[in-house]
Amino acid sequence: MLFYTHIFLGIVSFLLMGRFFNGGNEIIFFFLVLIGSVLPDIDEAKSKVNKSLGMVGWVVSFFSKHRGMFHSAIFGGLLFLVISLVSNSYYGYGLLIGYFAHILGDGLTPRGIKLFYPFSEFKIKGPLRVGGVGEWALFVGLVVIVIRDLLLGIF
Ligand SMILES: [Zn+2]
């Protein structure tokens, strides 16, 4: 999926799930959801997140294949553990929510994602082509949900 679709998937996930978590600063939590929602594409050399990280991004994309390790629940779980240990689990959940919003979003595309890579080849995939009509319809729907929430506070 495209960068802004991932961002809006992250925002909607925050609106849906953010209220079930507490124990820290909600703004930091929100930004961690956003970071998690774009972070997996660090494995794609042409992605915004990869380019913004310069040398680190280059090294990561050189040593990993796109939609491999960085699009796996295993890596998401490891990130959650690391953040929970260095900070607390509230912030770990923030990153995890965004991370899962990303890999489930990519799981809607024909290429799909391997949820338990590298331990299993089990794949989640769907019909929405990246940048296709289906993704644009999803994107518009997500934007409408966010605008409606800002105006009416539905969540
Ligand atoms: Zn991705």
Side-chain angles (χ1 to χ4, degrees):
M1 302 220 130
L2 300 172
F3 180 80
Y4 289 106
T5 310
H6 281 307
I7 288 281
F8 274 86
L9 268 175
I11 295 171
V12 169
S13 301
F14 169 78
L15 294 174
L16 281 170
M17 302 175 71
R19 68 195 137 137
F20 298 117
F21 298 90
N22 51 55
N25 183 307
E26 195 178 20
I27 311 262
I28 296 172
F29 183 89
F30 174 68
F31 277 104
L32 284 166
V33 173
L34 289 187
I35 290 168
S37 73
V38 293
L39 187 66
D41 283 342
I42 191 172
D43 64 12
E44 158 66 272
K46 283 178 255 160
S47 71
K48 281 189 181 18
V49 62
N50 181 289
K51 286 182 182 166
S52 70
L53 291 171
M55 198 66 191
V56 173
W58 185 87
V59 170
V60 170
S61 60
F62 188 79
F63 285 105
S64 58
K65 63 176 187 176
H66 184 43
R67 296 199 182 178
M69 187 65 204
F70 291 93
H71 284 70
S72 156
I74 308 296
F75 187 73
L78 285 175
L79 274 179
F80 171 77
L81 281 178
V82 169
I83 297 212
S84 299
L85 288 173
V86 297
S87 177
N88 69 48
S89 62
Y90 176 67
Y91 296 124
Y93 281 118
L95 200 82
L96 198 63
I97 288 169
Y99 192 89
F100 271 95
H102 184 108
I103 60 175
L104 293 178
D106 281 349
L108 295 172
T109 67
R111 186 173 176 180
I113 53 111
K114 289 175 183 167
L115 192 59
F116 304 110
Y117 186 87
F119 300 112
S120 160
E121 292 294 305
F122 170 71
K123 203 171 201 179
I124 296 178
K125 57 185 179 179
L128 300 187
R129 270 192 318 107
V130 175
V133 177
E135 178 169 352
W136 280 105
L138 173 66
F139 177 75
V140 170
L142 293 168
V143 171
V144 168
I145 290 171
V146 172
I147 291 171
R148 186 158 193 266
D149 184 73
L150 287 172
L151 295 173
L152 305 174
I154 48 173
F155 290 119

